[in-house]
């Protein structure tokens, strides 16, 4: 689907006539909620009338920033794509309204953003990574009539299964002395103790979140993590980084995956916090599911297995565009 000449590339980069030209593609979108109307931040890059991808970031409560690796791959492939900070995240409004941090409301937020951006079943690809993947699954199960394609990256369709994987696979493989210290701090609810994060970084993050020395993590990743809104993250995910214990703890849509009819790509990685075999199984449950495996990657395999990740993601879009599914 990559266009072949500079004239067409110029069209991809031409923002004239767009209502977001003044702001370089940025648009603040009003979102109606039970607590009033708030604004969420989006940024469009490029033009492609048939392939437009909305990116749902992880967290909940992170920002779009750690997804900026897309800038190295999507423009040359001439896919139009949208960064988007969900309500409560740094670039969007951050209301002090705990009752808004509920999965069904986030689904309706995505639908309002879709409408405001003019995305529809002829062009709309929804991408979600981690929590964004959970949100993407939930959106598809309610609104798949609006989708052309779906991407679920680094997310299992069952939080109980994720917790079981952490307990039976990840934790036994950790340094047991470090794990005991982590568990002790968690039992004491001493999550703000600097030692808690030090242990997680040294014995968990650099093995399963992003397999690079921590001091070498890409700047967009560090920037996003530094902006995490714990007022959104903790109620939904829970305090512990070795499993989920918040409002999402019982979320499980595995039995419903067969209802997803649109072409769907499930992405898993060997060293992920999520079970790569489970994510492969998910692709087999979906009617037009496909699986991308990143053998050297972790939870952020768009960085530590970048070539495999983006080549597979772009090929999926090409296949949908060419009608191969």
């Amino acid at each position: 689907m990559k266009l072949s000449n500079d004239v067409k590339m110029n069209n991809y980069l031409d923002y004239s006539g767009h209502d977001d030209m003044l702001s370089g593609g940025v648009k603040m979108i009003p979102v109606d909620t039970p607590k009033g109307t708030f604004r969420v931040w989006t940024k469009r890059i490029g033009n492609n009338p048939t392939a437009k991808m909305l990116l749902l970031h992880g967290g909940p409560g992170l920002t779009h920033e750690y997804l900026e690796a897309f800038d190295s791959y999507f423009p040359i492939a001439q896919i139009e794509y949208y960064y988007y900070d969900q309500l409560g995240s740094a670039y969007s409004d951050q209301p002090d309204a705990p009752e808004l941090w509920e999965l069904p409301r986030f689904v309706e937020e995505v639908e309002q953003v879709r409408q405001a951006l003019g995305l529809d079943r002829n062009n709309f690809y929804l991408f979600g990574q981690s929590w964004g993947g959970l949100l993407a699954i939930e959106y598809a199960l309610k609104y798949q009539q609006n989708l052309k394609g779906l991407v679920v990256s680094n997310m299992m369709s069952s939080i109980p299964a994720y917790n079981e994987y952490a307990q039976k696979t990840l934790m036994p493989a950790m340094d047991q002395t470090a794990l005991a210290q982590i568990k002790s701090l968690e039992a004491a609810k001493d999550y703000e103790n600097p030692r808690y994060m030090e242990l997680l970084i040294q014995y968990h993050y650099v093995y399963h979140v992003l397999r690079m020395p921590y001091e070498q993590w890409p700047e967009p990743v560090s920037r996003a993590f530094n902006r995490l809104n714990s007022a959104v993250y903790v109620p939904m995910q829970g305090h512990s980084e070795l499993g989920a214990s918040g409002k999402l703890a019982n979320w499980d849509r595995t039995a419903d995956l067969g209802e997803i009819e649109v072409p769907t790509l499930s992405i898993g990685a060997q060293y992920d916090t999520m079970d790569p075999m489970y994510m492969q199984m998910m692709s087999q449950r979906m009617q037009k599911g496909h699986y991308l495996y990143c053998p050297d990657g972790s939870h952020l395999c768009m960085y530590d297995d970048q070539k495999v990740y983006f080549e597979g993601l772009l090929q999926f879009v090409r296949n949908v565009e060419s009608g191969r599914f």
Side-chain angles (χ1 to χ4, degrees):
M1 61 173 288
K2 179 182 174 183
L3 304 181
S4 59
N5 57 60
D6 291 339
V7 174
K8 291 183 177 180
M9 176 57 86
N10 288 340
N11 291 339
Y12 174 80
L13 297 172
D14 184 3
Y15 281 27
S16 60
H18 286 272
D19 60 2
D20 57 14
M21 181 175 181
L22 181 66
S23 58
V26 171
K27 184 181 291 187
M28 298 298 293
I29 294 175
V31 173
D32 294 329
T33 79
K35 297 296 289 183
T37 300
F38 301 98
R39 300 192 310 162
V40 297
W41 180 97
T42 65
K43 179 179 174 65
R44 176 182 60 85
I45 298 173
N47 298 289
N48 188 325
T50 69
K52 305 172 185 286
M53 188 174 290
L54 178 65
L55 308 179
L56 303 183
H57 62 71
L62 269 177
T63 74
H64 74 281
E65 293 166 296
Y66 78 94
L67 298 174
E68 288 174 3
F70 278 71
D71 291 345
S72 297
Y73 292 87
F74 269 39
I76 195 64
Q78 299 177 25
I79 298 173
E80 182 175 325
Y81 59 112
Y82 292 80
Y83 291 124
Y84 155 40
D85 264 22
Q86 299 151 27
L87 187 65
S89 296
Y91 284 57
S92 297
D93 288 347
Q94 301 170 49
D96 182 12
E99 57 269 45
L100 295 181
W101 316 134
E102 300 287 348
L103 180 55
R105 193 214 58 79
F106 275 107
V107 170
E108 297 310 313
E109 176 183 318
V110 174
E111 173 60 5
Q112 292 184 57
V113 169
R114 178 198 70 81
Q115 294 179 24
L117 295 176
L119 309 176
D120 59 42
R121 64 183 305 165
N122 297 311
N123 54 40
F124 179 30
Y125 291 83
L126 183 62
F127 167 97
Q129 196 273 336
S130 193
W131 143 256
L134 185 160
L135 181 55
I137 290 172
E138 201 69 25
Y139 178 90
L141 287 170
K142 185 172 183 179
Y143 289 115
Q144 69 176 313
Q145 68 271 17
N146 301 323
L147 291 171
K148 187 173 187 178
L150 176 68
V151 180
V152 178
S153 179
N154 311 96
M155 188 65 223
M156 295 166 64
S157 55
S158 168
I159 295 296
Y162 157 59
N163 283 337
E164 183 179 6
Y165 182 70
Q167 292 164 5
K168 294 185 176 180
T169 301
L170 299 183
M171 292 186 207
M174 289 179 65
D175 180 290
Q176 294 302 293
T177 300
L179 178 62
Q181 293 181 56
I182 291 170
K183 288 295 188 180
S184 176
L185 290 166
E186 290 184 346
K189 300 187 184 305
D190 195 6
Y191 299 103
E192 301 304 317
N193 189 320
R195 183 61 178 157
Y196 182 64
M197 188 55 65
E198 289 174 6
L199 289 165
L200 285 170
I201 290 171
Q202 183 176 356
Y203 295 102
H204 181 63
Y205 279 24
V206 297
Y207 292 101
H208 299 292
V209 177
L210 177 50
R211 290 175 68 82
M212 297 180 184
Y214 184 68
E215 63 275 9
Q216 295 178 22
W217 279 21
E219 190 273 341
V221 176
S222 299
R223 185 167 10 112
F225 277 42
N226 287 337
R227 295 187 199 270
L228 175 68
N229 185 351
S230 59
V232 180
Y233 183 83
V234 172
M236 298 191 75
Q237 149 72 27
H239 281 285
S240 176
E241 293 300 300
L242 296 176
S245 57
K247 294 178 181 179
L248 299 173
N250 295 317
W251 179 83
D252 190 335
R253 285 293 209 162
T254 303
D256 303 315
L257 294 177
E259 298 176 16
I260 299 178
E261 302 175 355
V262 297
T264 303
L265 180 66
S266 174
I267 305 177
Q270 177 63 36
Y271 304 102
D272 202 341
T273 56
M274 303 283 172
D275 182 356
M277 298 301 293
Y278 198 96
M279 290 180 280
Q280 182 179 30
M281 176 275 293
M282 289 165 51
S283 70
Q284 296 164 349
R285 295 278 188 97
M286 299 167 183
Q287 295 188 33
K288 297 179 182 177
H290 301 266
Y291 183 57
L292 172 61
Y293 172 65
C294 297
D296 296 323
S298 63
H299 198 55
L300 295 181
C301 50
M302 73 278 293
Y303 288 100
D304 52 22
D305 206 356
Q306 189 172 87
K307 188 172 185 290
V308 171
Y309 186 93
F310 279 103
E311 284 183 355
L313 176 55
L314 292 174
Q315 188 59 53
F316 170 75
V317 177
R318 293 188 193 104
N319 287 343
V320 176
E321 291 297 296
S322 65
R324 292 179 189 171
F325 295 153

